[in-house]
Amino acid sequence: MVCKRYGPSEDTLRFILRPNSSLSWRGMKAVFFAMTLVLVIIAGGFSLLGLWLIFPFAGLELLILGIAFYLSARRAQHCEIITIGQEEIEIFRGRETTGETWKFHRYWARVRIELPPYAWHMSRLIIGSHGHEVEIGVFLSEEERLRLAKELQAVCGA
């Protein structure tokens, strides 16, 4: 998902890239608690029939589901922010405040797209100058990546 904004000053353009996430953290918690309720009811019913050994396996299943939801939500928080100012292009990759930052002079920066060697591979969107390059938008769809490349090339003049 690509979001385009102007700011913090008027001559600054910012592209915010985030992976598609169909379920929010709040939604994941609701699904997890619903699954927990259903699993406790089923495990309770079987334990009343004398099959009490189902509880450890139900707990293990919930633990694995909780870890998977947590890792999925954590991965959805990653973002890439491309800030294009008058003089430079700054690329931030990470979660909120922790991450890596690259800076390129706007005049020398080049935006290019590497087409895939095979039809089933994804293309690569690269920004760089003077031998230093950064691949951006790895989590974007092919269509979003190509559209972003055109916009970045139009803005940067490359």
Side-chain angles (χ1 to χ4, degrees):
M1 177 174 65
V2 178
C3 183
K4 182 179 166 184
R5 295 184 182 160
Y6 289 94
S9 62
E10 287 184 20
D11 57 348
T12 304
L13 181 61
R14 184 174 279 181
F15 292 91
I16 301 170
L17 315 176
R18 293 188 184 277
N20 287 328
S21 177
S22 59
L23 194 59
S24 67
W25 176 244
R26 187 179 204 164
M28 283 186 190
K29 286 193 303 188
V31 169
F32 179 76
F33 289 127
M35 292 288 294
T36 301
L37 180 67
V38 169
L39 206 57
V40 166
I41 291 171
I42 291 172
F46 277 107
S47 70
L48 290 176
L49 296 173
L51 300 171
W52 58 268
L53 197 56
I54 199 166
F55 270 113
F57 291 104
L60 181 65
E61 183 179 339
L62 284 175
L63 178 69
I64 292 170
L65 183 67
I67 290 171
F69 277 179
Y70 174 76
L71 292 176
S72 176
R74 187 175 163 91
R75 183 175 163 85
Q77 290 178 342
H78 281 266
C79 68
E80 292 178 353
I81 300 173
I82 304 163
T83 306
I84 302 172
Q86 288 288 343
E87 296 291 322
E88 70 178 14
I89 297 173
E90 181 179 306
I91 301 170
F92 171 80
R93 178 184 296 151
R95 293 178 54 213
E96 297 177 7
T97 57
T98 58
E100 295 177 277
T101 302
W102 295 270
K103 292 182 180 180
F104 300 104
H105 193 280
R106 185 174 173 175
Y107 180 75
W108 296 108
R110 297 290 173 248
V111 178
R112 64 185 175 90
I113 190 130
E114 272 186 16
L115 296 177
Y118 305 104
W120 62 86
H121 282 205
M122 303 289 278
S123 63
R124 298 175 64 204
L125 177 56
I126 296 171
I127 296 179
S129 72
H130 295 95
H132 299 284
E133 295 182 327
V134 177
E135 182 177 1
I136 57 172
V138 174
F139 44 79
L140 296 177
S141 69
E142 186 70 17
E143 185 177 295
E144 289 175 325
R145 189 176 302 116
L146 294 174
R147 191 172 346 119
L148 178 64
K150 284 182 182 176
E151 284 193 48
L152 286 174
Q153 287 170 344
V155 171
C156 297

